[in-house]
Amino acid sequence: MEFDYNSTRSHLILAEYGRNVQNMVDYICTLPTREERNKYAQVVIDLMGFLNPHLRDVADFKHKLWDHLFIISNFKIDVDCPYPRPVEGSTRTKPEILAYPQNRIKFKHYGKTVEKMIETAKNIEDPQRKDHMILSIANFMKMAYVTWNKDSVIDETIINDLKELSNGELQVSNDLTLAKVEFKTPPPGSRTRTAQNTKGRSNGSNNKNQGQSNGYNKKRNTGKRY
């Protein structure tokens, strides 16, 4: 007796349509006349759309199904397609490799954005606008510092880091006063409150049930016997 296992079967080209669809497509390829192939191909296209209704939300829904039909047949099926026939090999092209950014960040807790902001501030010619930009960058750096370290930070540290990041090109006054930033501990989650409320309701329910049970037992003990 021979058993039929998936490991011994041919490879499923598009597994989302199943083996029955692939067998039907293989059968269509063996039909002798084009009229028969076109007739059965249309039936398989309707079945493929029924099996994958989510594709109806895709633009050119029918076009995609016909492309899948050719892919399942390994581009061997010879039918009249209402759309341009896909070229073999076009579906197996590998996408271009994306270059990984190789940017070195001097102070990672400030991030790359701060360095870009500093470079922009260097090119500002208006003194008043430049001072406003420097103050904004310093306040942002202080906020980023507290976010990562969760400790208080003095303004002198931020000012020195800003001078170092700008290579001394930005003139920062030592008496510059930055906005006050504090790290606030997030409030306790609703799970704790829910658990306490549930516990309270549970204790109240148990006490109520216990009281009812004691009253019932007392009533039984004091009842008259005939």
Side-chain angles (χ1 to χ4, degrees), residues 105-111 114 141 144-145 148-149 158 161:
I105 303 175
K106 194 167 187 177
F107 296 110
K108 292 186 178 181
H109 52 281
Y110 295 133
V114 169
M141 291 171 61
Y145 189 101
W148 284 102
N149 292 276
I158 301 299
D161 291 344

Side-chain angles (χ1 to χ4, degrees), residues 65-121:
L65 291 179
W66 279 98
D67 288 346
H68 287 177
L69 178 68
F70 283 99
I71 293 173
I72 293 174
S73 67
N74 275 327
F75 302 92
K76 296 177 182 178
I77 191 170
D78 185 14
V79 292
D80 295 330
C81 178
Y83 304 97
R85 181 167 179 163
V87 180
E88 184 177 1
S90 59
T91 59
R92 299 184 179 91
T93 55
K94 294 183 179 181
E96 297 181 1
I97 299 177
L98 295 177
Y100 192 81
Q102 301 294 335
N103 297 326
R104 181 179 177 274
I105 303 175
K106 194 167 187 177
F107 296 110
K108 292 186 178 181
H109 52 281
Y110 295 133
K112 189 66 179 177
T113 304
V114 169
E115 296 182 1
K116 293 181 178 179
M117 292 167 64
I118 291 174
E119 293 298 324
T120 303

Side-chain angles (χ1 to χ4, degrees), residues 14 16-17 21 25 41-56 58-73 77 79 81-84 86:
L14 292 179
E16 58 267 29
Y17 293 107
V21 171
V25 174
Q42 187 59 54
V43 174
V44 173
I45 287 292
D46 295 337
L47 177 61
M48 291 166 63
F50 177 77
L51 293 175
N52 291 272
H54 64 278
L55 291 178
R56 299 183 185 275
V58 179
D60 297 333
F61 166 63
K62 285 289 186 179
H63 192 177
K64 193 174 188 68
L65 291 179
W66 279 98
D67 288 346
H68 287 177
L69 178 68
F70 283 99
I71 293 173
I72 293 174
S73 67
I77 191 170
V79 292
C81 178
Y83 304 97

Side-chain angles (χ1 to χ4, degrees), residues 27 31 56 64-65 92 120 122-123 135 146 165 187 189 209 223:
Y27 172 73
L31 294 176
R56 299 183 185 275
K64 193 174 188 68
L65 291 179
R92 299 184 179 91
T120 303
K122 291 179 181 179
N123 300 324
L135 179 61
V146 174
L165 286 172
N209 293 335

Side-chain angles (χ1 to χ4, degrees), residues 19 25 84 111 141 143 194 226:
R19 187 165 298 278
V25 174
M141 291 171 61
M143 181 186 65
T194 304
Y226 297 95

Side-chain angles (χ1 to χ4, degrees), residues 164-214:
E164 185 175 352
L165 286 172
S166 64
N167 294 324
E169 296 184 31
L170 294 181
Q171 299 298 326
V172 184
S173 177
N174 291 328
D175 58 352
L176 182 67
T177 303
L178 303 180
K180 186 177 180 180
V181 179
E182 294 180 357
F183 177 77
K184 296 182 179 180
T185 305
S190 58
R191 174 182 293 184
T192 304
R193 294 194 296 271
T194 304
Q196 292 176 353
N197 296 336
T198 304
K199 184 178 180 181
R201 289 196 300 268
S202 177
N203 292 337
S205 178
N206 292 337
N207 294 334
K208 183 179 179 181
N209 293 335
Q210 186 176 2
Q212 292 176 351
S213 177
N214 292 337

